[in-house]
Amino acid sequence: MTSGGPEGAPLGAARRGAPLAPPLRTPPTCGIHPEVVRRHDHNARMTDDWKRRLDALHADLVRRDDPVAWVTEADAVEASRRYPHIALRGPVFGVAARDRARADPGWRLLKPVVDGMPQQARDGLNSHLWFKAKDGTDDRAARRELLAAVAVLERAPADEVEALGVRYRVVRGDEFARTGDDGLEPPRPTDLEPVCPSWEDPGAAPSPDVGYVLDPGRDEGPMAGALRLGLRDFTYTGARFPADVRADSEWAARTHPDVVRLPVGFSVAERDGSGWTPCGSLAATPHEARRSLYEGMARVWAMLYRFDERKKALYARAAEAFRAAGRADEASVEDRVFRICRVERMVRLGPDGPEPPRPSDLDEYGPMKLHPTLHTDGTVQYDD
């Protein structure tokens, strides 16, 4: 699978000069049908491998005798018909860890894969290790080892450090959404919702990324397996991607040939003349994304953009109408249309684990000291 449409146009923001922080990403543009982008070098062995894997997934689904799983699979089949194209939103970054002392010492996500730049994920790892040294141990030798890893992250854009037998790695993913004739895919009927949704209490659900095992054999059904297998050949193509971005993408498909699909998320997008523009962070549930849109229309945007009284009242009425509709996935105000959209992500894996950032991935700033000096005896020096 490639990232270029019929004219070779890129599908997202992963290009030099485009800011990659989530609110600023370039919107997804036209999508492409997976069947159109099947690589010419697929051979019989790969085709047979796909068929065996999908047959096994189908047999498992039948054997489980799980009506919920059957409905979910039917939902996925219907979504693939209504939203057959894939639109790339851009790269995202997080942190994974591998603890050799565990009974199952595989790679697990430590920080959600949602950051728009590698350095944001490095900073998250920096803070995790600093607070672990401050509050997570009373052992001076352990604290010294943790702080040595912090020191590495303070002075260099390191994508991997090790401390106390745990390997920590900044990992790279790609974020994408399905599209169809009417735009981005909204939440599916089988997507999980809070038991008691609230429009007042933020009550953000914990990220399903944290603790997620990066296992390439983990598929929820035939449709999920088919998409994961298809994504193994995904690369960036098209003249509007810089040559180094395209080259890095082709190289990654060889060095990290397996794919893990991360838990699905939800976000707000606005339709404009060129497509759909993401305008919110990733939420764990559809309702969390709806509440974000409601808060924006009802209060936040009026303060941020200094609406006059007429416009403030107009947006407030639209917000209340959206809330009153319950599980509505679209809202309109003035000439603007907003949609709650379903967002998917993938991470590549190779023999040594998840893919780290690529040389062509962009950072807007570099490493720095984030916290006061912590001494090995546990005291914090605030005046340095």
Side-chain angles (χ1 to χ4, degrees):
M1 182 178 291
T2 62
S3 65
E7 303 301 324
L11 297 180
R15 58 179 184 274
R16 190 169 301 280
L20 295 182
L24 301 177
R25 290 188 195 134
T26 301
T29 57
C30 59
I32 47 177
H33 195 289
E35 291 183 358
V36 176
V37 295
R38 188 171 295 145
R39 288 166 64 114
H40 297 298
D41 58 355
H42 280 170
N43 54 32
R45 183 190 61 79
M46 180 63 73
T47 301
D48 290 344
D49 177 58
W50 282 38
K51 186 177 185 302
R52 284 194 299 270
R53 177 63 182 160
L54 294 179
D55 285 348
L57 287 167
H58 178 76
D60 179 65
L61 186 67
V62 173
R63 184 168 54 249
R64 279 155 60 188
D65 191 22
D66 183 349
V68 174
W70 296 345
V71 172
T72 301
E73 187 66 18
D75 209 10
V77 171
E78 177 62 21
S80 72
R81 291 171 178 160
R82 295 186 60 192
Y83 301 95
H85 309 308
I86 297 293
L88 176 68
R89 188 178 180 186
V92 283
F93 304 89
V95 179
R98 186 181 185 212
D99 186 349
R100 288 190 289 269
R102 293 181 62 104
D104 52 341
W107 288 92
R108 297 171 180 265
L109 291 181
L110 178 72
K111 297 287 184 181
V113 184
V114 296
D115 292 325
M117 295 181 292
Q119 190 58 45
Q120 290 174 291
R122 295 184 197 113
D123 289 348
L125 177 56
N126 181 328
S127 290
H128 172 83
L129 294 173
W130 190 89
F131 280 104
K132 188 176 179 68
K134 177 179 177 290
D135 303 322
T137 183
D138 292 322
D139 183 273
R140 287 193 178 209
R143 186 175 287 125
R144 183 180 297 109
E145 191 169 341
L146 289 163
L147 291 175
V150 170
V152 171
L153 292 164
E154 288 177 341
R155 65 174 180 263
D159 291 325
E160 184 167 323
V161 295
E162 184 167 347
L164 305 180
V166 180
R167 290 173 66 188
Y168 299 92
R169 180 179 295 177
V170 174
V171 299
R172 182 194 194 281
D174 277 300
E175 193 174 272
F176 61 94
R178 288 186 174 276
T179 68
D181 292 340
D182 68 337
L184 296 176
E185 180 188 10
R188 297 175 187 173
T190 47
D191 288 326
L192 293 178
E193 296 275 10
V195 176
C196 300
S198 170
W199 293 91
E200 305 300 339
D201 179 10
S207 171
D209 284 11
V210 178
Y212 192 81
V213 178
L214 297 178
D215 177 7
R218 179 177 183 166
D219 289 318
E220 299 169 355
M223 290 302 297
L227 177 58
R228 184 183 65 81
L229 291 169
L231 288 170
R232 292 198 302 194
D233 289 323
F234 167 82
T235 58
Y236 292 6
T237 62
R240 286 193 289 170
F241 282 116
D244 58 344
V245 172
R246 299 196 305 270
D248 283 353
S249 181
E250 289 283 350
W251 180 250
R254 294 193 292 271
T255 60
H256 295 79
D258 274 322
V259 166
V260 172
R261 294 174 63 239
L262 301 187
V264 67
F266 305 89
S267 188
V268 180
E270 180 179 2
R271 188 172 65 196
D272 56 28
S274 61
W276 291 87
T277 303
C279 54
S281 58
L282 197 66
T285 67
H287 181 76
E288 192 177 329
R290 292 186 194 107
R291 187 185 178 283
S292 172
L293 176 56
Y294 168 74
E295 282 290 317
M297 293 191 296
R299 287 179 281 275
V300 177
W301 298 347
M303 294 185 292
L304 284 178
Y305 306 115
R306 300 182 180 180
F307 289 173
D308 59 29
E309 291 303 316
R310 182 202 66 82
K311 191 167 186 175
K312 185 187 299 185
L314 183 65
Y315 276 72
R317 286 195 300 272
E320 295 307 321
F322 176 66
R323 172 174 173 168
R327 290 192 176 186
D329 292 322
E330 279 200 10
S332 300
V333 57
E334 295 186 307
D335 293 326
R336 306 175 72 181
V337 177
F338 301 94
R339 176 177 293 182
I340 308 302
C341 59
R342 198 173 194 273
V343 180
E344 301 193 53
R345 292 163 299 155
M346 58 173 272
V347 169
R348 285 194 170 279
L349 273 80
D352 191 42
E355 181 190 11
R358 300 171 186 173
S360 56
D361 289 325
L362 300 174
D363 277 318
E364 293 180 354
Y365 64 95
M368 65 185 76
K369 186 172 183 178
L370 300 177
H371 303 284
T373 298
L374 176 62
H375 296 283
T376 55
D377 63 0
T379 60
V380 180
Q381 181 179 333
Y382 290 100
D383 58 354
D384 61 338

Short mmCIF file of all heavy atoms in Angstrom, two decimals, residues 136-178:
data_model
loop_
_atom_site.label_atom_id
_atom_site.label_comp_id
_atom_site.label_asym_id
_atom_site.label_seq_id
_atom_site.Cartn_x
_atom_site.Cartn_y
_atom_site.Cartn_z
N GLY A 136 10.04 6.80 42.85
CA GLY A 136 9.83 5.37 42.67
C GLY A 136 10.87 4.48 43.30
O GLY A 136 10.76 3.26 43.20
N THR A 137 11.89 5.05 43.93
CA THR A 137 12.91 4.23 44.55
C THR A 137 13.60 4.99 45.68
O THR A 137 13.67 6.22 45.65
CB THR A 137 13.97 3.79 43.51
OG1 THR A 137 14.93 2.93 44.14
CG2 THR A 137 14.69 4.98 42.91
N ASP A 138 14.09 4.24 46.66
CA ASP A 138 14.91 4.80 47.74
C ASP A 138 16.35 4.31 47.64
O ASP A 138 17.17 4.60 48.51
CB ASP A 138 14.33 4.41 49.11
CG ASP A 138 13.00 5.08 49.39
OD1 ASP A 138 12.84 6.26 49.00
OD2 ASP A 138 12.12 4.43 49.99
N ASP A 139 16.61 3.57 46.58
CA ASP A 139 17.95 3.00 46.39
C ASP A 139 18.82 3.97 45.60
O ASP A 139 18.47 4.36 44.48
CB ASP A 139 17.82 1.66 45.65
CG ASP A 139 19.16 0.96 45.48
OD1 ASP A 139 19.85 1.26 44.49
OD2 ASP A 139 19.51 0.15 46.35
N ARG A 140 19.95 4.34 46.18
CA ARG A 140 20.82 5.34 45.53
C ARG A 140 21.37 4.83 44.20
O ARG A 140 21.44 5.58 43.23
CB ARG A 140 21.98 5.72 46.46
CG ARG A 140 21.56 6.59 47.64
CD ARG A 140 22.79 7.18 48.29
NE ARG A 140 22.42 8.06 49.40
CZ ARG A 140 23.14 9.10 49.79
NH1 ARG A 140 24.26 9.39 49.15
NH2 ARG A 140 22.76 9.85 50.80
N ALA A 141 21.75 3.57 44.14
CA ALA A 141 22.30 3.04 42.90
C ALA A 141 21.24 3.02 41.80
O ALA A 141 21.53 3.37 40.64
CB ALA A 141 22.84 1.63 43.14
N ALA A 142 20.02 2.65 42.17
CA ALA A 142 18.93 2.66 41.18
C ALA A 142 18.65 4.08 40.72
O ALA A 142 18.45 4.33 39.52
CB ALA A 142 17.68 2.02 41.77
N ARG A 143 18.63 5.00 41.67
CA ARG A 143 18.37 6.40 41.30
C ARG A 143 19.47 6.93 40.39
O ARG A 143 19.21 7.65 39.42
CB ARG A 143 18.26 7.25 42.57
CG ARG A 143 17.83 8.68 42.30
CD ARG A 143 17.63 9.44 43.58
NE ARG A 143 16.42 9.04 44.27
CZ ARG A 143 16.37 8.61 45.54
NH1 ARG A 143 17.50 8.52 46.24
NH2 ARG A 143 15.22 8.28 46.08
N ARG A 144 20.72 6.55 40.67
CA ARG A 144 21.84 7.01 39.84
C ARG A 144 21.68 6.50 38.41
O ARG A 144 21.94 7.24 37.44
CB ARG A 144 23.15 6.52 40.45
CG ARG A 144 24.40 7.01 39.70
CD ARG A 144 25.67 6.50 40.34
NE ARG A 144 25.84 7.00 41.70
CZ ARG A 144 25.72 6.25 42.82
NH1 ARG A 144 25.44 4.94 42.70
NH2 ARG A 144 25.89 6.78 44.01
N GLU A 145 21.27 5.25 38.27
CA GLU A 145 21.11 4.68 36.92
C GLU A 145 19.98 5.36 36.16
O GLU A 145 20.10 5.64 34.96
CB GLU A 145 20.87 3.18 37.03
CG GLU A 145 20.96 2.46 35.70
CD GLU A 145 20.97 0.95 35.84
OE1 GLU A 145 21.26 0.45 36.95
OE2 GLU A 145 20.68 0.26 34.83
N LEU A 146 18.88 5.64 36.84
CA LEU A 146 17.76 6.33 36.19
C LEU A 146 18.17 7.74 35.78
O LEU A 146 17.84 8.21 34.68
CB LEU A 146 16.56 6.38 37.13
CG LEU A 146 15.85 5.03 37.37
CD1 LEU A 146 14.96 5.11 38.61
CD2 LEU A 146 15.04 4.63 36.15
N LEU A 147 18.90 8.42 36.65
CA LEU A 147 19.31 9.80 36.33
C LEU A 147 20.35 9.84 35.22
O LEU A 147 20.42 10.83 34.47
CB LEU A 147 19.86 10.48 37.59
CG LEU A 147 18.81 10.76 38.67
CD1 LEU A 147 19.46 11.32 39.93
CD2 LEU A 147 17.74 11.73 38.15
N ALA A 148 21.13 8.77 35.07
CA ALA A 148 22.07 8.71 33.94
C ALA A 148 21.31 8.66 32.62
O ALA A 148 21.70 9.30 31.63
CB ALA A 148 22.97 7.49 34.09
N ALA A 149 20.20 7.94 32.59
CA ALA A 149 19.37 7.90 31.39
C ALA A 149 18.72 9.26 31.14
O ALA A 149 18.62 9.72 29.99
CB ALA A 149 18.30 6.83 31.52
N VAL A 150 18.28 9.93 32.22
CA VAL A 150 17.72 11.28 32.08
C VAL A 150 18.76 12.22 31.48
O VAL A 150 18.45 13.03 30.60
CB VAL A 150 17.24 11.81 33.45
CG1 VAL A 150 16.89 13.30 33.36
CG2 VAL A 150 16.03 11.01 33.93
N ALA A 151 20.00 12.12 31.94
CA ALA A 151 21.07 12.99 31.44
C ALA A 151 21.29 12.80 29.95
O ALA A 151 21.54 13.77 29.21
CB ALA A 151 22.36 12.72 32.21
N VAL A 152 21.19 11.57 29.48
CA VAL A 152 21.32 11.31 28.03
C VAL A 152 20.22 12.04 27.27
O VAL A 152 20.47 12.69 26.25
CB VAL A 152 21.27 9.80 27.76
CG1 VAL A 152 21.19 9.54 26.25
CG2 VAL A 152 22.49 9.11 28.34
N LEU A 153 19.00 11.96 27.78
CA LEU A 153 17.86 12.58 27.09
C LEU A 153 17.90 14.10 27.17
O LEU A 153 17.31 14.78 26.33
CB LEU A 153 16.56 12.06 27.71
CG LEU A 153 16.26 10.59 27.44
CD1 LEU A 153 15.19 10.07 28.39
CD2 LEU A 153 15.83 10.38 25.99
N GLU A 154 18.60 14.64 28.15
CA GLU A 154 18.71 16.09 28.27
C GLU A 154 19.68 16.69 27.27
O GLU A 154 19.52 17.85 26.86
CB GLU A 154 19.15 16.47 29.69
CG GLU A 154 18.10 16.28 30.75
CD GLU A 154 18.61 16.60 32.14
OE1 GLU A 154 19.84 16.61 32.33
OE2 GLU A 154 17.78 16.84 33.03
N ARG A 155 20.67 15.91 26.84
CA ARG A 155 21.72 16.50 26.01
C ARG A 155 21.69 16.03 24.55
O ARG A 155 22.39 16.60 23.71
CB ARG A 155 23.08 16.21 26.62
CG ARG A 155 23.46 14.75 26.66
CD ARG A 155 24.90 14.56 27.14
NE ARG A 155 25.27 13.16 27.20
CZ ARG A 155 25.25 12.42 28.29
NH1 ARG A 155 24.85 12.94 29.43
NH2 ARG A 155 25.61 11.15 28.24
N ALA A 156 20.90 14.99 24.24
CA ALA A 156 20.92 14.47 22.86
C ALA A 156 19.53 13.95 22.49
O ALA A 156 18.78 13.51 23.36
CB ALA A 156 21.95 13.35 22.74
N PRO A 157 19.18 13.98 21.20
CA PRO A 157 17.88 13.43 20.75
C PRO A 157 17.93 11.91 20.69
O PRO A 157 17.81 11.30 19.62
CB PRO A 157 17.70 14.06 19.37
CG PRO A 157 19.09 14.28 18.88
CD PRO A 157 19.92 14.61 20.09
N ALA A 158 18.10 11.29 21.85
CA ALA A 158 18.23 9.83 21.93
C ALA A 158 16.86 9.17 21.79
O ALA A 158 15.90 9.58 22.45
CB ALA A 158 18.87 9.43 23.25
N ASP A 159 16.81 8.14 20.97
CA ASP A 159 15.55 7.42 20.78
C ASP A 159 15.50 6.12 21.57
O ASP A 159 14.47 5.44 21.55
CB ASP A 159 15.33 7.13 19.29
CG ASP A 159 15.06 8.40 18.50
OD1 ASP A 159 14.41 9.30 19.06
OD2 ASP A 159 15.51 8.50 17.35
N GLU A 160 16.58 5.78 22.27
CA GLU A 160 16.55 4.61 23.13
C GLU A 160 17.52 4.81 24.29
O GLU A 160 18.65 5.26 24.09
CB GLU A 160 16.89 3.34 22.37
CG GLU A 160 16.77 2.09 23.22
CD GLU A 160 16.78 0.79 22.41
OE1 GLU A 160 16.22 0.77 21.31
OE2 GLU A 160 17.36 -0.20 22.91
N VAL A 161 17.09 4.46 25.49
CA VAL A 161 17.94 4.42 26.68
C VAL A 161 17.58 3.17 27.45
O VAL A 161 16.52 2.57 27.25
CB VAL A 161 17.76 5.67 27.58
CG1 VAL A 161 18.22 6.94 26.85
CG2 VAL A 161 16.32 5.81 28.04
N GLU A 162 18.47 2.77 28.37
CA GLU A 162 18.21 1.61 29.20
C GLU A 162 18.51 1.95 30.64
O GLU A 162 19.48 2.65 30.94
CB GLU A 162 19.05 0.42 28.75
CG GLU A 162 18.76 -0.86 29.52
CD GLU A 162 19.35 -2.10 28.86
OE1 GLU A 162 19.77 -2.02 27.69
OE2 GLU A 162 19.37 -3.15 29.53
N ALA A 163 17.69 1.48 31.55
CA ALA A 163 17.90 1.68 32.98
C ALA A 163 17.23 0.56 33.75
O ALA A 163 16.09 0.18 33.45
CB ALA A 163 17.33 3.03 33.42
N LEU A 164 17.97 0.00 34.73
CA LEU A 164 17.44 -1.04 35.61
C LEU A 164 16.87 -2.23 34.84
O LEU A 164 15.84 -2.80 35.19
CB LEU A 164 16.37 -0.46 36.54
CG LEU A 164 16.80 0.76 37.39
CD1 LEU A 164 15.65 1.21 38.27
CD2 LEU A 164 18.03 0.41 38.22
N GLY A 165 17.55 -2.58 33.75
CA GLY A 165 17.14 -3.75 32.98
C GLY A 165 15.97 -3.54 32.06
O GLY A 165 15.47 -4.51 31.47
N VAL A 166 15.52 -2.30 31.90
CA VAL A 166 14.39 -1.99 31.03
C VAL A 166 14.89 -1.14 29.86
O VAL A 166 15.58 -0.13 30.06
CB VAL A 166 13.29 -1.23 31.78
CG1 VAL A 166 12.12 -0.92 30.84
CG2 VAL A 166 12.80 -2.04 32.98
N ARG A 167 14.56 -1.57 28.66
CA ARG A 167 14.86 -0.77 27.47
C ARG A 167 13.67 0.13 27.17
O ARG A 167 12.52 -0.33 27.14
CB ARG A 167 15.11 -1.67 26.25
CG ARG A 167 16.39 -2.46 26.31
CD ARG A 167 16.47 -3.44 25.14
NE ARG A 167 16.60 -2.77 23.85
CZ ARG A 167 16.54 -3.39 22.68
NH1 ARG A 167 16.32 -4.70 22.64
NH2 ARG A 167 16.67 -2.71 21.56
N TYR A 168 13.94 1.40 26.98
CA TYR A 168 12.91 2.37 26.63
C TYR A 168 13.20 2.88 25.23
O TYR A 168 14.34 3.23 24.91
CB TYR A 168 12.92 3.55 27.61
CG TYR A 168 12.65 3.17 29.05
CD1 TYR A 168 13.68 2.86 29.92
CD2 TYR A 168 11.34 3.12 29.53
CE1 TYR A 168 13.44 2.53 31.24
CE2 TYR A 168 11.08 2.79 30.86
CZ TYR A 168 12.13 2.49 31.70
OH TYR A 168 11.88 2.16 33.01
N ARG A 169 12.17 2.93 24.40
CA ARG A 169 12.37 3.38 23.01
C ARG A 169 11.26 4.33 22.60
O ARG A 169 10.08 4.08 22.86
CB ARG A 169 12.39 2.18 22.07
CG ARG A 169 12.58 2.55 20.60
CD ARG A 169 12.61 1.32 19.71
NE ARG A 169 13.77 0.49 20.00
CZ ARG A 169 14.01 -0.68 19.40
NH1 ARG A 169 13.17 -1.13 18.48
NH2 ARG A 169 15.08 -1.39 19.72
N VAL A 170 11.65 5.42 21.95
CA VAL A 170 10.68 6.29 21.28
C VAL A 170 10.24 5.58 20.01
O VAL A 170 11.09 5.14 19.21
CB VAL A 170 11.29 7.66 20.96
CG1 VAL A 170 10.32 8.51 20.14
CG2 VAL A 170 11.66 8.38 22.25
N VAL A 171 8.93 5.41 19.83
CA VAL A 171 8.43 4.65 18.69
C VAL A 171 7.63 5.56 17.76
O VAL A 171 7.04 6.55 18.19
CB VAL A 171 7.56 3.46 19.14
CG1 VAL A 171 8.38 2.51 19.98
CG2 VAL A 171 6.33 3.92 19.90
N ARG A 172 7.65 5.19 16.51
CA ARG A 172 6.98 5.96 15.46
C ARG A 172 5.77 5.19 14.93
O ARG A 172 5.84 3.98 14.71
CB ARG A 172 7.95 6.21 14.31
CG ARG A 172 7.39 7.05 13.17
CD ARG A 172 8.28 6.97 11.95
NE ARG A 172 7.94 8.00 10.98
CZ ARG A 172 6.93 7.95 10.13
NH1 ARG A 172 6.15 6.88 10.12
NH2 ARG A 172 6.71 8.93 9.29
N GLY A 173 4.69 5.89 14.72
CA GLY A 173 3.52 5.30 14.10
C GLY A 173 2.98 6.19 12.99
O GLY A 173 3.46 7.30 12.78
N ASP A 174 2.00 5.69 12.28
CA ASP A 174 1.28 6.49 11.29
C ASP A 174 -0.19 6.51 11.69
O ASP A 174 -0.76 5.49 12.09
CB ASP A 174 1.42 5.91 9.88
CG ASP A 174 2.71 6.34 9.21
OD1 ASP A 174 2.90 7.55 9.04
OD2 ASP A 174 3.53 5.45 8.89
N GLU A 175 -0.80 7.67 11.58
CA GLU A 175 -2.21 7.86 11.92
C GLU A 175 -3.00 8.03 10.63
O GLU A 175 -2.60 8.78 9.74
CB GLU A 175 -2.34 9.11 12.79
CG GLU A 175 -3.67 9.27 13.47
CD GLU A 175 -3.66 10.45 14.44
OE1 GLU A 175 -3.29 10.25 15.61
OE2 GLU A 175 -4.01 11.56 14.00
N PHE A 176 -4.12 7.33 10.54
CA PHE A 176 -4.91 7.40 9.31
C PHE A 176 -6.39 7.24 9.63
O PHE A 176 -6.77 6.85 10.74
CB PHE A 176 -4.45 6.34 8.30
CG PHE A 176 -4.58 4.92 8.79
CD1 PHE A 176 -5.71 4.16 8.52
CD2 PHE A 176 -3.57 4.34 9.54
CE1 PHE A 176 -5.83 2.86 8.97
CE2 PHE A 176 -3.68 3.03 10.00
CZ PHE A 176 -4.81 2.28 9.71
N ALA A 177 -7.22 7.53 8.65
CA ALA A 177 -8.66 7.37 8.79
C ALA A 177 -9.23 6.81 7.49
O ALA A 177 -8.64 6.98 6.42
CB ALA A 177 -9.33 8.71 9.12
N ARG A 178 -10.35 6.16 7.59
CA ARG A 178 -11.07 5.70 6.39
C ARG A 178 -11.90 6.85 5.84
O ARG A 178 -12.42 7.68 6.59
CB ARG A 178 -11.98 4.53 6.72
CG ARG A 178 -11.26 3.23 7.00
CD ARG A 178 -12.26 2.10 7.17
NE ARG A 178 -11.62 0.81 7.30
CZ ARG A 178 -11.22 0.05 6.29
NH1 ARG A 178 -11.41 0.46 5.04
NH2 ARG A 178 -10.65 -1.12 6.49
#
